Amino acid sequence: AVVTQVANVPTIVKTYAGVGKLDNNQAPSVSITAPKTNSNFIAPAIVTITASATDVDGTITKVEFYNDVNPLGSTTASPYSYNWTNVAAGAYSITAIASDNSGNKTTSAVVAITIAPVMPSVTSPVSYLQNSTATTLSATGTSLKWYTVATGGIGSTIAPTPSTTTVGTTNYYVSQTVNGIESARAKIDVIVNAIPVETSISLKSGWNLVGYPFMNSKDIATALSSIWDNVLTVKDLTGFYDKSQPIALNSLSKLNWG
């Protein structure tokens, strides 16, 4: 206490913390406005973190952004935001810390986000003839899980071998898991086609109208292999093939379905 004399009446003035006044400065407030908690992204992700920060009796001097205890970046100007780039697959906890001009700091509530890996790479569709021998399905990824449904179900780490007994299309699904996070499922369509029925063709001298029983493009000799020894000339709506002509002079070399 300090004692002073005013008109011979002693007055006592109390001092606090050596500054002559009681410091009632309030801490700043801060919250993360984006992303929302439980938001999902696909790796490698770009996550824009935005915070709202205010101070009722001072100014905001800095807002810092953290992944758990690891600093990501900071800004001193509003709007307070940070672009977190190339974020790998995983689960993350984001916070923001606001500082004011009196040195007070406040930490925001935690925002949890998930970065999922991309879907594994697959080849689709895969086609077989009915009752032919199928090979085990494959995909490129990490810790693959195979499913028979698009969502739900129980995944298997063993890649399936399709059945070719029944004509039709069967869907298979596969995901990958990175850093404990499972990706969306990639779809593989397995198509089983009926075996083409072979029919005998009775040829007559001159022009014959011959059907094309294949679903894809084939060389003329392959497509007409059963009658090739008797073929002289082939025509369709787009060109011709004449056995007696040099290959370079023929405008038709392949036959197409349809």
Side-chain angles (χ1 to χ4, degrees):
V2 178
V3 179
T4 62
Q5 293 286 335
V6 178
N8 298 320
V9 178
T11 301
I12 298 177
V13 179
K14 293 183 179 180
T15 61
Y16 299 87
V19 296
K21 70 181 184 69
L22 178 63
D23 189 351
N24 290 319
N25 186 267
Q26 296 186 42
S29 61
V30 60
S31 62
I32 293 178
T33 56
K36 300 298 183 182
T37 195
N38 297 325
S39 293
N40 295 290
F41 301 84
I42 302 296
I46 298 176
V47 181
T48 299
I49 310 170
T50 304
S52 173
T54 58
D55 189 62
V56 295
D57 55 1
T59 57
I60 300 296
T61 57
K62 181 171 61 174
V63 174
E64 302 165 276
F65 298 96
Y66 284 80
N67 165 36
D68 199 3
V69 297
N70 303 305
L72 298 174
S74 64
T75 180
T76 57
S78 178
Y80 306 107
S81 65
Y82 175 77
N83 283 332
W84 189 14
T85 61
N86 201 33
V87 187
Y92 299 94
S93 298
I94 301 171
T95 55
I97 298 178
S99 301
D100 68 11
N101 58 315
S102 296
N104 298 310
K105 293 186 176 184
T106 300
T107 301
S108 71
V110 174
V111 170
I113 64 171
T114 300
I115 311 294
V118 297
M119 294 185 295
S121 176
V122 300
T123 298
S124 180
V126 178
S127 298
Y128 294 100
L129 287 177
Q130 187 178 17
N131 296 322
S132 63
T133 301
T135 58
T136 301
L137 295 178
S138 64
T140 302
T142 303
S143 299
L144 299 176
K145 287 184 180 180
W146 296 88
Y147 298 85
T148 56
V149 291
T151 59
I154 299 175
S156 172
T157 57
I158 301 174
T161 300
S163 169
T164 62
T165 303
T166 304
V167 172
T169 300
T170 303
N171 300 321
Y172 296 85
Y173 303 87
V174 58
S175 69
Q176 68 168 327
T177 299
V178 178
N179 294 333
I181 306 298
E182 187 174 4
S183 73
R185 301 172 190 179
K187 185 175 75 166
I188 302 176
D189 295 325
V190 176
I191 302 172
V192 178
N193 297 306
I195 299 173
V197 178
E198 296 185 1
T199 58
S200 298
I201 300 176
S202 298
L203 300 176
K204 63 181 180 179
S205 179
W207 291 100
N208 291 265
L209 184 63
V210 179
Y212 183 75
F214 303 102
M215 296 183 65
N216 53 2
S217 176
K218 288 185 179 292
D219 292 335
I220 288 179
T222 302
L224 302 176
S225 59
S226 62
I227 59 172
W228 188 244
D229 291 341
N230 298 308
V231 171
L232 298 177
T233 306
V234 180
K235 291 184 179 181
D236 67 5
L237 296 177
T238 63
F240 72 93
Y241 180 91
D242 191 329
K243 271 188 173 181
S244 66
Q245 297 290 337
I247 294 177
L249 297 180
N250 289 313
S251 59
L252 188 64
S253 61
K254 290 181 179 292
L255 296 180
N256 298 289
W257 180 80

